Amino acid sequence: MSTGVLGTEKRGIRELGAEEKVGWDEVTRGVVLDSFEGDATDIVHKKAEERNYSDFNSYTATVASWRIIKPVYNRDICIDCQNCWVWCPDTSIISRDKQMLGIDYDHCKGCGVCVEVCPTNPKSLLMYSEATDNDEALAGWPQKEKKEKK
Amino acid sequence: MAITSIKNLKEFSTANDRFEGSHLLCPGCAHSMIVRELMNATDDNLVIASNTGCLEVSTAVYPYTSWDTSWIHIGFENAATAAACAESMFKARKRKGTLPNPDAPVKFVAFGGDGSTYDIGFQWLSGAMERGHDFTYICLDNENYANTGGQRSSATPVGAHTSTAQAGTHSYGKTQRKKDIVSIMAAHGAPYVAQLAPNKWKSMAKGFQKALETEGPCFINTVSACTTEWKFDPKDTINVTDLATDSLMFPIYEIINGHELNILYRPKNVIPVEDYLGAQGRYKHLFKPEYRHVIDMIQKEVDEKWELLQRREEARV
Ligand code: SF4
Ligand code: SF4
């Protein structure tokens, strides 16, 4: 039985489409992009590599082409303070079990914030041109800067 | 509620991000720093509503979404409304016993920029605060309509150049004051209202956790430095935010139950506002001799506001 778009059987109930009748507390899904395949209830306890991302999740996309400069990470100097992790705007610092592991170059846009907030001397992250080979960058890493005595 | 440990950054960094990369916000955008931190501060399920603004248009560009939680995309004025409706529906269904998973902890959050919060969604925000929904509204305050070309909003401070309040031979940019949204929200008698900044990550995470834990409507204004419209190098987002909090242009404080004010950050060395203004292209013109008086005026107002906050904190009224 159709009651028309605005016809109501009972207050607050409105027909949406031919079959579905929903109340105010049952809203239809509308246009929904699922971020995951299958059950996503415990996602908060799963690390990225344990998750079943759907093709709609921007995690599966890349913005690497935005970059003209990139951060290079030097494990030898890093103190795992996690400054870079907390302030990276693009979820591109890979930290696991309190350790900084490296840069996610699929999602990094090369903003340089991580280098600015890195507290070590010399820095454990430095910006290089996108074309630079990471090993070469590491081989020529700057030495500790001496503070000038006043 | 399940909160993440924020004792120190190492502990905090074990949180599993629920805001994914390859969103389309500008490089160095503070919006995503703030959103990540909110989502990392809790283990609870989140239902988030975003209204029109940079965050909304950049994080759900078909066919992609950057949100690993329930997220509602809604029109310019309606972040508060959407979050409030979702919260009401949740409560009603819980009461009726029609929730498939009634014991799952859920928190309701709304994100809006300053355009939607201070201007276009102001009335709807006020309504949701007054009705007392159990949700947290977070304003990402970058002091302009950055998504549409940097027009002035009522959050734009005096002296800033914007595309609709231009600096030139006859104008020093915006001539009107920034609206004091924090006081307005506190005046609603909301249980928790705060102004926070991403450079002070710990006070921000604590504030977020407090707001999520508090029953009733909470409001947080966050300082979101905008590399594109404030005109600074993307790498300097945190540096500029440091200047903002240390010059007291953005004091960090909370107001509990509409009256109890606590200052959450006291800079060891307060720097002159000039240092903050000088780091951004949008204030460049103020350094010309004919507009120097505007800097003095801004400094005076910042000093007065700081004095007021300290006195209010002391008075506990
Ligand atoms: S350059 Fe920017 S986007 Fe890339 S890892 Fe560093 S902070 Fe993140
Ligand atoms: S900010 Fe620097 S020292 Fe700290 S974790 Fe990152 S790379 Fe390591």
Side-chain angles (χ1 to χ4, degrees), chain A residues 67 69-71 84 87-93 103-104 107-115 125 127, chain B residues 28:
Chain A
R67 260 192 334 258
I69 48 174
K70 65 176 175 185
C84 54
W87 284 306
C88 171
D90 290 283
T91 326
S92 299
I93 298 293
I103 314 284
D104 174 349
H107 300 137
C108 166
K109 292 179 189 146
C111 66
V113 165
C114 53
V115 173
L125 286 160
M127 299 308 283

Side-chain angles (χ1 to χ4, degrees), chain A residues 24-27 31 33-36 40-41 43-48 50-51 53-64 66 79-93 95-99 106-107 109-114 116-117, chain B residues 9-30 32-33 36-37 39-40 42-45 59-69 85 88-89 92-93 96 98 101 198-201 233-239:
Chain A
W24 68 273
D25 57 348
E26 291 168 70
V27 171
V31 179
L33 299 183
D34 287 313
S35 310
F36 301 98
T41 32
I43 233 59
V44 71
H45 296 119
K46 288 195 176 127
K47 301 181 185 6
E50 298 161 353
R51 293 174 177 173
Y53 288 112
S54 85
D55 292 345
F56 292 123
N57 199 305
S58 70
Y59 183 84
T60 63
T62 177
V63 286
W66 289 34
I79 54 170
D80 292 308
C81 69
Q82 304 298 342
N83 278 3
C84 54
W85 174 81
V86 79
W87 284 306
C88 171
D90 290 283
T91 326
S92 299
I93 298 293
S95 281
R96 298 289 180 264
D97 305 322
K98 305 184 187 174
Q99 277 214 350
D106 286 338
H107 300 137
K109 292 179 189 146
C111 66
V113 165
C114 53
E116 287 296 306
V117 299
Chain B
L9 251 191
K10 284 195 185 203
E11 300 246 349
F12 193 25
S13 75
T14 59
N16 298 311
D17 270 289
R18 287 188 282 174
F19 186 65
E20 300 293 352
S22 286
H23 54 67
L24 304 183
L25 291 161
C26 299
C29 177
S32 38
M33 299 176 185
R36 279 189 59 221
E37 193 158 331
M39 296 176 86
N40 284 333
T42 178
D43 276 1
D44 288 353
N45 294 335
T59 58
V61 181
Y62 190 81
Y64 294 116
T65 169
S66 301
W67 300 86
D68 292 350
T69 60
C85 290
S88 300
M89 179 198 284
R93 292 191 60 163
K96 289 182 189 166
T98 57
N101 200 356
N199 59 327
K200 301 293 160 203
W201 72 266
D233 193 299
K235 74 175 175 28
D236 289 326
T237 305
I238 291 300
N239 299 337

Side-chain angles (χ1 to χ4, degrees), chain B residues 167-241:
Chain B
T169 45
H170 290 75
S171 161
Y172 55 79
K174 195 183 164 199
T175 52
Q176 300 86 357
R177 283 194 181 76
K178 183 182 172 101
K179 196 189 268 181
D180 183 356
I181 196 83
V182 179
S183 295
I184 298 170
M185 289 300 124
H188 284 71
Y192 188 78
V193 173
Q195 175 157 283
L196 305 169
N199 59 327
K200 301 293 160 203
W201 72 266
K202 200 169 194 171
S203 62
M204 191 162 86
K206 250 192 214 158
F208 286 161
Q209 292 185 339
K210 251 194 214 173
L212 293 172
E213 273 175 344
T214 302
E215 212 180 306
C218 301
F219 177 87
I220 296 176
N221 196 51
T222 58
V223 183
S224 189
C226 173
T227 134
T228 307
E229 297 299 344
W230 295 15
K231 303 190 173 36
F232 60 83
D233 193 299
K235 74 175 175 28
D236 289 326
T237 305
I238 291 300
N239 299 337
V240 166
T241 315

Side-chain angles (χ1 to χ4, degrees), chain B residues 120-170:
Chain B
I120 298 174
F122 186 66
Q123 158 185 350
W124 288 267
L125 169 61
S126 176
M129 299 299 280
E130 185 271 332
R131 290 192 303 274
H133 297 278
D134 185 9
F135 82 121
T136 297
Y137 189 102
I138 297 174
C139 173
L140 304 164
D141 185 0
N142 60 13
E143 306 190 317
N144 74 102
Y145 287 84
N147 175 37
T148 48
Q151 293 85 356
R152 55 93 82 189
S153 79
S154 59
T156 308
V158 174
H161 164 93
T162 69
S163 61
T164 49
Q166 300 207 355
T169 45
H170 290 75

